[in-house]
Amino acid sequence: MVHRNTTAALVAMFGLLASVLLVGQQLHAPWAGGDGRVHIAIAAIRQEGAATVDRNGTVRPVSLHESIRRGEVVRTDAGGRMVLQIGFCHTLALDENTDVRLDDLVPGTYRVHLARGRAYLDTHLETPSENPDCGPLTITTNKTETAVVSGKLAIVNYDFKQTVGIAPVDTVAAVVVGSETGYVLKSAVEITETDPPQITDVLFDPTSGAAAEFYAWATQ
């Protein structure tokens, strides 16, 4: 009887510890292996076609309004599109064949990595906000970091060409390429992520070309 009670107590204790650890991981507590900051969860609010979420090699289909967390990779298939809600302000639309990793989901320091494909960010702000939940959002590629605090941004990573296209819309973007000094971008450019990088001014017209259908869908 004593042995049985001891075993039951140990099982209950380990169950409690596992629950506490799970909560700590959800809150990113340092003692649970986190960074001590509170990361929000984001979710898909619109979707067409197939898309998946990859967490450390475990892949699941995307479900609307299901939480997607830091470190996970959102991947759209051919013919797939989706819109992610980030905090209360920002939305990020993904075109087909696009991979985005969620690197930092702390309000005020949002950071995602565009490994390939096309995305359209809408901050839903005309001017910068003092609300930290509506703070800057940074999109990284292989060697480029692009941050905006208001307005909209179209960005595409042609990973097979080592080229990134960046187009601020009704805003300016802070861009850093490799180890170079950052600069303010007011119009569309293409950046070849070579050493040294090459930056070329280009025209951006979301109503024409192969991506016009995506931009129309993303902004409706």
Side-chain angles (χ1 to χ4, degrees):
M1 179 65 70
V2 174
H3 175 72
R4 182 179 301 173
N5 290 341
T6 301
T7 301
L10 288 173
V11 170
M13 181 180 67
F14 282 118
L16 177 61
L17 289 174
S19 299
V20 171
L21 180 60
L22 180 61
V23 171
Q25 289 173 339
Q26 295 291 332
L27 296 177
H28 299 274
W31 50 265
D35 57 11
R37 302 180 301 162
V38 177
H39 295 257
I40 66 165
I42 72 172
I45 57 173
R46 289 175 57 203
Q47 181 182 349
E48 286 186 2
T52 57
V53 177
D54 186 331
R55 183 172 184 82
N56 299 325
T58 300
V59 180
R60 67 182 188 274
V62 169
S63 297
L64 288 179
H65 308 296
E66 175 193 9
S67 293
I68 306 172
R69 300 190 177 279
R70 182 174 71 107
E72 296 185 326
V73 177
V74 180
R75 181 174 296 117
T76 56
D77 294 345
R81 295 171 180 159
M82 70 183 326
V83 176
L84 299 173
Q85 179 76 47
I86 303 177
F88 292 108
C89 296
H90 309 317
T91 55
L92 184 67
L94 309 180
D95 200 2
E96 64 176 347
N97 298 318
T98 296
D99 292 6
V100 168
R101 186 182 68 235
L102 310 177
D103 284 344
D104 195 335
L105 298 179
V106 174
T109 59
Y110 298 124
R111 189 180 186 91
V112 302
H113 179 76
L114 180 64
R116 64 166 185 150
R118 188 184 312 272
Y120 185 80
L121 170 66
D122 190 342
T123 67
H124 297 278
L125 297 170
E126 295 182 0
T127 58
S129 171
E130 294 182 358
N131 181 351
D133 192 64
C134 301
L137 190 148
T138 300
I139 300 177
T140 65
T141 56
N142 188 33
K143 293 184 178 181
T144 304
E145 297 186 2
T146 305
V148 295
V149 296
S150 62
K152 306 169 182 65
L153 179 80
I155 182 168
V156 55
N157 183 3
Y158 303 101
D159 60 311
F160 55 93
K161 297 195 301 183
Q162 293 184 294
T163 300
V164 177
I166 303 170
V169 180
D170 302 326
T171 190
V172 294
V175 178
V176 177
V177 185
S179 59
E180 293 192 355
T181 302
Y183 61 96
V184 175
L185 185 67
K186 298 181 179 180
S187 57
V189 298
E190 280 194 351
I191 300 173
T192 303
E193 295 185 313
T194 53
D195 191 15
Q198 298 179 6
I199 303 175
T200 306
D201 292 329
V202 296
L203 295 176
F204 174 69
D205 182 1
T207 64
S208 65
E213 185 178 345
F214 164 69
Y215 289 123
W217 181 85
T219 56
Q220 67 185 19

